[in-house]
Amino acid sequence: MKLLAIASAALLAATVIPAQSAEISDGKVKIGILNDQSGVYADFGGKWSYEAAKMAAEDFGGKVLDAPIEIITADHQNKPDIASNIARQWYDTEQVDSIMELTTSSVALAVQGLSKEKKKVTMATGPATTELTGKQCSPYGFHWAYDTHALAVGTGGALVEQGGDSWYFLTADYAFGYSLEEQTAKFVTSKGGKVLGQVRHPLATTDYSSFLLQAQSSGAKVIGLANAGLDTSNAIKQAAEFGIVAGGQRLAALLFTLAEVHGLGLEAAQGLTLTEGFYWDRDDQSREFGRKFFERTGRMPNMVHTGTYSAVTQYLKAIQAAGTDETEAVAKKLHEMPVEDVFARGGKVQANGRMVYDMYLMEVKKPDESKEPWDYYKVLATIPGDQAYLSAQESGCPLVSQ
């Protein structure tokens, strides 16, 4: 009888353990942080987003549903073909469950398309194009940190209201730049402003002189920099050499974050108006997170880094709530669950995958206004999420019933 009881217990264990492990495929949850780590956006996201993702996994306890959490990373070099090859290898041979960050819009669109085919969740924190939740939306794709519409509403709208009613755009020549220019131009004209022209430059240009001279000669009150990272920083530096701001024109950095302000320095960046979705010195909770991130990295986080922390955390919460890492179940939970963390207060995910939360209009302080390192911003206004982002119905996403 004792032998029979032991045999029965062993049989029961054999049937229970596989059922538990079947909740998590491959016995672990593996998340890939895919972004630019060597080019113009290396500070914008880069290895700092990887550190934020690892922080999120550690703060979650290192496990979800008793399965270990693994974070890996790779540099896509801002090339959609390289990014797609890495993503395919991650999915096909390395058992990656989800890919996140995805700085560079062309890369994000390519990887989200592949992930849709493979039925894998993507959570984009680095790219800006609204196409991710518009015409090229995916049932498994989520856009987390910001987008071109939110930037246009923030920076574009504020400057028109302050008298900057004529614009000339200096635009990065790829999907992100076009989208940022288009969204901002629409908002400028809707406020009664005029767009006098635009010029497009290749990604990672080092000489902006001819582009800036065209913008300067246009006579526009505002030169909109529809680019990001080192492209924006270099354009601002060269604009100072041409005396553009001294001559009465204003520069609008349409996508500029704390990381780029730090790299440029307050002397050059002072007075810039920009829009971010996070600032470390906003309140006690953000200060606590910022200092913890600083202890780990030697720098304060921007909205991409903190957005990546939030995306990883929410993905893990969704797995926990679903009781599995199966894609359909996790995506369903991601759409249903509110987002409440250091990054987003009262955030919500729309049917098209767009996470809606408040954005902040910032002005870069003058050097004598800064009280400590990384004290760079004055918060001019809070832009409610429902104003900052397109509704799911307005987005053009074919998954949304009109």
Side-chain angles (χ1 to χ4, degrees), residues 142-161:
F142 299 86
H143 202 176
W144 214 251
Y146 70 101
D147 64 24
T148 50
H149 188 270
L151 299 175
V153 170
T155 309
L159 287 179
V160 172
E161 290 170 2

Side-chain angles (χ1 to χ4, degrees), residues 44 186 247 299 338:
F44 180 76
K186 284 181 180 177
R299 62 194 297 118

Side-chain angles (χ1 to χ4, degrees), residues 42 53 78 96 127 140 225 264 271 297 336 339 341 391 395:
N78 294 310
V96 167
Y140 318 119
L225 302 176
L264 191 57
T297 64
E336 292 174 352
V339 184
D341 57 27
S391 70
S395 70

Side-chain angles (χ1 to χ4, degrees), residues 15-95:
T15 57
V16 170
I17 290 171
Q20 290 175 333
S21 62
E23 296 169 349
I24 298 295
S25 58
D26 308 307
K28 62 184 174 183
V29 171
K30 196 169 183 179
I31 299 169
I33 303 300
L34 184 58
N35 60 13
D36 174 17
Q37 298 179 12
S38 57
V40 293
Y41 304 135
D43 279 347
F44 180 76
K47 63 182 179 181
W48 316 117
S49 291
Y50 176 48
E51 290 299 324
K54 289 193 293 183
M55 273 181 66
E58 291 164 15
D59 289 350
F60 204 81
K63 291 184 177 182
V64 58
L65 299 180
D66 291 327
I69 303 162
E70 183 179 352
I71 310 291
I72 65 170
T73 191
D75 182 358
H76 61 46
Q77 302 173 47
N78 294 310
K79 296 176 180 177
D81 57 338
I82 290 176
S84 295
N85 287 338
I86 292 170
R88 191 177 297 277
Q89 179 182 332
W90 278 359
Y91 289 149
D92 291 349
T93 67
E94 298 187 35
Q95 293 79 50

Side-chain angles (χ1 to χ4, degrees), residues 125 177 384:
T125 56

Side-chain angles (χ1 to χ4, degrees), residues 280-324:
W280 74 268
D281 202 18
R282 186 180 67 201
D283 58 28
D284 288 343
Q285 187 181 3
S286 60
R287 279 187 284 274
E288 181 182 356
F289 177 81
R291 289 181 177 125
K292 183 176 178 181
F293 188 85
F294 185 87
E295 288 172 7
R296 187 182 188 113
T297 64
R299 62 194 297 118
M300 287 296 183
N302 64 9
M303 65 178 170
V304 177
H305 310 140
T306 315
T308 302
Y309 178 94
S310 172
V312 171
T313 301
Q314 194 74 359
Y315 178 68
L316 297 173
K317 286 180 180 178
I319 290 173
Q320 192 170 60
T324 176

